[in-house]
Every structure is written in C-alpha cells, then in structure tokens.
C-alpha cells in the first residue's frame, strides 16, 4: 500500500512552506493579547482558531466556559496543570477569545459545534480580568488612570469595572487584606465575567511572611485564593481559570 506524503494530509501554513516563520511568534503571551500588542496570529480570534486544533480537553473546557457564562452550569473554577510548553497559555487564550466575543461565533473554526452541543444559541460578551504573575510585582503598585493599585484583587476589580468596581475593594487594596464577600458581589454586579490568572506561583514566590509589601503577605494570598474560588462558585455567571 502506498502512503501519501504527510504534507498532503496535513498541509502546512504558507509561512512554514516558505520558511519565513519566526520561532518567537509561537510563544503565546496572554498579557500582550489583553493589551492588544500581540502578533495577529494570537490577537485576531479568527486567525487564532484557524491555527488551533481543539483537543478533547480544550473542547471540554470551552464547553464549561459557554455554559458558565450563560448560567447553564459549567465548572466555575478550572486549574490548568501541564509541564512547561504544554499549552496552558494557548488554552487560556482560547478561553479568552471565546469569552470576549470580538468575532462572530460562525467565523471561529470548531466553536459553533461547541455551542450547539451546549444548547446555546448566543454567547454574551464577558468582562475579562487577566492577572499575569510574571509581569506583576508585589513591591511595585500599578497605576491605572492615576489610581494606585497595590494588590491582585485591586487589579482584578479595576479590570472588571474600573473606578466603580475598585471602590468595592479599596480598603482591602490599601491595607493588603483579602476582600471577603465583596468579591462575590463584584462578580455578580459586573458579570458575566472571566478571570484568568497565569503563573500565579511565580508571583507568590516573591511574597514573604511579613506584611511589609504593598501586595500583602504570603499568608494573605492563601486566604485570597480561597476567597476567590468561593466567590467564583457563588456568583451566577463567573468563571475562574488558573495556571
């Protein structure tokens, strides 16, 4: 039996065929996509899904996203665990583009079938907060429109709803204390919403036991992690994805 050459079965993209691709373009960066500074292959949702093979694991995750954002079930909290280069960030980008809704569902290869299987005809656009543990510094408050933000929960609130949202957690941001039930109220008020946290461990490694950092102590972040997951579960249309 004669087998066809692999390139006739899985035809490479033109940049691969011509030898013009750049290795750096294959390094997914969630923060750059959120800041709208990524290359088109990652920034444009249509191009992204054209270049993405939806595995069974990714399909199940996207199914949860769809159901969660429309209030039809779905897992509220997802933790992604793979080795370095295992596709965590790429998977988070798939979740990001689906929830953000900047392109018609019909233009995203593989996505209409996921909505059909979930019994969803229209997916609402979600508010999205992206927290990157590599780019954030526990010792350097962020400044957004003149507003100093010290903690991850302060930044989360700002990204979901700007000044009105951060007022709900302002005292906890200033004192570096976990915001408690204010997070659940925040998620319900500004839902449907999606929280993506990438490289959280890299951020937590920089914390220590004393409360002398603007971002709070290591123990405070343990409390925040529990508060965040409980709030995501209790809110009606909120999903948390963590790597």
């Amino acid at each position: 039996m004669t087998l066809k050459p692999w390139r006739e079965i899985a035809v490479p993209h033109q940049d691969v065929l011509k030898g013009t691709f750049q290795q750096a373009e294959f390094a997914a960066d969630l923060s750059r996509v959120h800041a709208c500074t990524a290359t088109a292959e990652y920034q444009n949702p249509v191009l992204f899904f054209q270049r993405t093979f939806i595995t069974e694991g990714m399909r199940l995750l996207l199914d949860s996203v769809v159901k969660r954002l429309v209030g039809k079930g779905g897992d509220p909290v997802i933790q992604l665990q793979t080795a370095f280069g295992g596709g965590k960030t790429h998977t988070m980008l798939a979740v990001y583009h689906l929830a953000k809704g900047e392109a018609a569902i019909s233009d995203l290869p593989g996505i209409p079938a996921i909505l059909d299987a979930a019994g969803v005809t229209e997916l609402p656009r979600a508010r999205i907060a992206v927290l990157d543990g590599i780019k954030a510094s526990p010792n350097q408050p962020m400044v957004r429109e003149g507003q100093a933000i010290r903690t991850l929960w302060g930044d989360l609130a700002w990204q979901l709803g700007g000044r009105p949202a951060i007022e709900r957690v302002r005292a906890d941001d200033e004192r570096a204390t976990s915001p408690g039930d204010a997070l659940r109220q925040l998620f319900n008020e500004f839902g449907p919403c999606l929280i993506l946290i990438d490289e959280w461990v890299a951020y937590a490694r920089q914390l220590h036991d004393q409360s002398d950092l603007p971002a709070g102590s290591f123990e405070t972040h343990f409390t925040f992690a529990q508060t965040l997951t409980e709030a995501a579960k209790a809110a009606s249309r909120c999903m948390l994805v963590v790597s």
Side-chain angles (χ1 to χ4, degrees):
M1 182 177 67
T2 303
L3 297 177
K4 292 183 178 180
W6 67 267
R7 59 185 177 276
E8 293 183 12
I9 304 300
V11 181
H13 289 280
Q14 288 300 310
D15 55 353
V16 176
L17 288 172
K18 296 177 181 178
T20 59
F21 76 96
Q22 298 180 21
Q23 192 69 29
E25 292 180 356
F26 292 89
D29 189 322
L30 182 61
S31 291
R32 287 190 60 190
V33 172
H34 193 47
C36 299
T37 60
T39 58
E41 289 79 4
Y42 291 110
Q43 193 70 55
N44 186 309
V46 177
L47 293 178
F48 174 83
F49 279 105
Q50 285 178 350
R51 290 171 171 249
T52 297
F53 176 78
I54 299 178
T55 64
E56 180 63 14
M58 185 182 290
R59 185 192 66 78
L60 291 173
L61 175 55
L62 295 179
D63 177 73
S64 277
V65 174
V66 170
K67 290 177 179 177
R68 189 66 184 166
L69 294 183
V70 298
K72 294 181 63 175
D75 294 323
V77 180
I78 300 290
Q79 182 180 11
L80 300 177
Q81 291 181 321
T82 66
F84 180 77
K88 294 189 298 292
T89 303
H90 197 97
T91 299
M92 295 180 91
L93 282 174
V95 173
Y96 177 93
H97 283 307
L98 178 60
K100 195 169 186 182
E102 289 190 330
I105 293 297
S106 58
D107 292 336
L108 306 179
I111 299 302
I114 293 175
L115 265 69
D116 289 343
V120 175
T121 57
E122 186 176 358
L123 191 65
R125 298 183 67 173
R127 296 174 185 262
I128 301 177
V130 172
L131 305 177
D132 189 330
I134 296 294
K135 293 184 170 56
S137 169
N139 194 45
Q140 297 291 331
M142 295 158 280
V143 179
R144 298 186 183 275
E145 297 182 12
Q147 171 73 54
I149 299 174
R150 298 166 176 79
T151 63
L152 289 184
W153 43 98
D155 191 30
L156 187 159
W158 180 271
Q159 291 187 48
L160 290 183
R163 291 184 184 277
I166 201 173
E167 287 302 322
R168 287 191 170 275
V169 299
R170 181 181 297 280
D172 290 299
D173 181 68
E174 291 176 348
R175 296 178 176 85
T177 54
S178 184
D181 195 53
L183 281 183
R184 180 190 60 82
Q185 299 172 25
L186 184 77
F187 297 158
N188 280 328
E189 181 177 351
F190 295 94
C193 58
L194 170 70
I195 299 102
L196 301 172
I197 306 181
D198 200 10
E199 302 292 353
W200 197 350
V201 172
Y203 184 88
R205 277 199 302 256
Q206 303 176 70
L207 301 169
H208 44 70
D209 294 336
Q210 284 76 29
S211 299
D212 56 349
L213 291 174
S217 68
F218 188 76
E219 294 298 327
T220 300
H221 275 259
F222 265 110
T223 303
F224 169 59
Q226 183 175 359
T227 300
L228 178 61
T229 55
E230 293 297 330
K233 288 190 293 183
S236 58
R237 293 190 296 168
C238 174
M239 187 169 190
L240 168 66
V241 182
V242 181
S243 74

